[in-house]
Amino acid sequence: MVAAMLTRLLRQGLAGTLFLLAGVLLFQFVYPFIADSMGGASGLENLVSQLPPAMQALAQLSPEFLAMTGIAGFISRAYDHPVYLILSIAAMVAFTGRAIAGEVGSGTLALSLSRPISRWSIFAARIAGVAVLAAVFGIAGPVATWLGLQAAQPAGEVTLSQLVAMALLGALFLWTVGGLALMMSAVSSSTGRVVGWATGYLVVAYFVDVFAELWSILEPARPLSLFWYFDTTDTMVDGRVPTMSILVFGGVGLLAMVLGWLEFRRRDFVV
Amino acid sequence: MTDTVDAVIDVEDVTKRYGRVLALDGVTMTVPRGSIFGFLGPNGAGKTTLIRILMGFIRMTSGRATVLGHDAWTDGVRARERIGYLVTADGLYPDLSGYDQLDYAARISGRPPVWRDRILDALELDDVALRRTLGTYSKGMRQKLALTAAAQHRPELLILDEPTDGLDPLIQRSFEELLHHFRDEGTTVFMSSHDLGEVERTCDRVAVVRAGAIIAVGEMDALKERYSQRVEVMFEHGIPDGIDEVAGVTVVHRDGQVVEMNLEHDINPLLAFLAGHPVKRMEVRPPELQEVFMSFYERRNGLTNANGRRS
């Protein structure tokens, strides 16, 4: 029954999810072509050196950074690029918003609640959905990057282990986003409200992380931002996910799921 | 304690509060096995709240509710193995076809849809319609599909909240007949409604709820007998004085020699009074459910409900 519910959940809004997935694939596929068009790692280094320091900070690129990290460092920037983040986060938040709050709002949750299915099984199907989507979107980016690298052949090297690490980091990050959004969904009766809450938190967290580079007063708040632990450069360059990222993403995601479950199991569903 | 020997639903002193709002106020009742039980009341009386408690959607504030011998909240999964529940017509997935919706409902019920074809026939939901997605259905068609999804797996207990909402009168009658067949084959039906005619045609027993409290419960015929009958008498020589002072009599209309009365309880005082006055014609008509229902709702002062509370 969990499998049947999971399939149903994934089929809902499938067109939108595929559209977002196509966007992620296209964006990550194109990025190696951008690197190639700028002359690979050395060309990028020269180009970035022409930018004023504030622009370099905003772009999170500097000549020194590119000199140290090469093409892998440049490619890693595609994973904390707002386009990639918006596309993949939108898929997670839309799914989790629909999965509980949306079903409460429309009344379709009554179909599952009225069958011989425990509340845990109903919630577990939602957790499984988050895990599947996080895995799909986490893997999709690096697959597209690899295809782009094969097609564009930019100067410099990116290894398979670097892309695997990037896939793992992406999946862990999206698992956490999904967990937080699922927790919000468990206490809400409207998809729109979940999207609003999740977007609000993530936008604030993103700006805290980005602007802390420019404005030191934000520096103490940086560890509160999920994006602080989404260290795409270290992951891509070292070819492994930082331990802190694994602990924070795994822990926060799990904690959010547990809190969501505690609410879901006791909640009155007026459906 | 209520008798639980042959009760498929046993509710005892159930109260539900939403903050300051008292949705159910000490509801006690049992639904006997093999009956069609009507749960009657106007919108907002608490019918749906009790059904949600029975289905384990919401928790009661206090009291006890068992369904098929299982606690509705803590052991609801085992009860729901044998229940069919009507979801609202809006609670179906609009992106699925009719067949896909029924298949999905059967899959998560864990039981084969052995009654599907006969229900679809009775409700006249044809193959062409069932291949279309629900987004193209009218409200009545969605209601038919929801009814099929609720009962297709031959449940032991069928819980229906306003089941004929949106159905045309002909289909409504077919569905009522279907419920009688289900009852004859051993399924107990618990249905809420504000349609008095539907309840009167369909149900064996009825509970009347007002403002969250049960104000009457019993077999349909017994309930009618307990409350006023309509009596019309035509006298030979005009309406005699003192008729409205006869015990249990309320005169509702006078027209020349004819008087129309509501008679509560015992008819003998009226017969004794009439014995002293020549009568040309007399008609005693049992009350319709609507009259019984209205009498509950009109007599707000001094009425004691079925739970022994003053309402």
Side-chain angles (χ1 to χ4, degrees), chain A residues 8-54:
Chain A
R8 175 87 285 272
L9 287 168
L10 292 173
R11 273 186 63 181
Q12 273 183 285
L14 184 62
T17 306
L18 290 176
F19 182 78
L20 293 169
L21 186 62
V24 166
L25 289 167
L26 186 64
F27 181 75
Q28 297 297 2
F29 181 76
V30 164
Y31 227 73
F33 285 90
I34 297 171
D36 185 53
S37 68
M38 293 177 178
S42 57
L44 283 162
E45 196 182 324
N46 289 333
L47 184 69
V48 170
S49 66
Q50 308 298 314
L51 297 174

Side-chain angles (χ1 to χ4, degrees), chain A residues 1 4-5 8 11-12 103 106-108 111 113-119 265-271, chain B residues 16 52 55-59 73 77 80-81 85 90-93 95-96 101 104-105 108-110 149:
Chain A
M1 289 182 191
M5 284 188 288
R8 175 87 285 272
R11 273 186 63 181
Q12 273 183 285
E103 291 224 348
S106 68
T108 49
L111 202 61
L113 288 170
S114 63
R115 264 52 189 184
I117 306 171
S118 67
R119 287 200 178 194
R265 71 194 287 257
R266 58 177 285 281
R267 182 175 167 187
D268 280 353
F269 287 108
V270 183
V271 286
Chain B
K16 177 64 184 177
R52 286 179 180 139
M55 292 304 299
F57 295 176
I58 62 176
R59 282 182 302 175
W73 178 257
V77 175
R80 293 196 295 273
E81 286 172 1
Y85 170 75
D90 294 334
L92 302 171
Y93 291 108
D95 60 317
L96 291 183
Q101 177 72 54
Y104 178 67
I108 61 173
S109 296

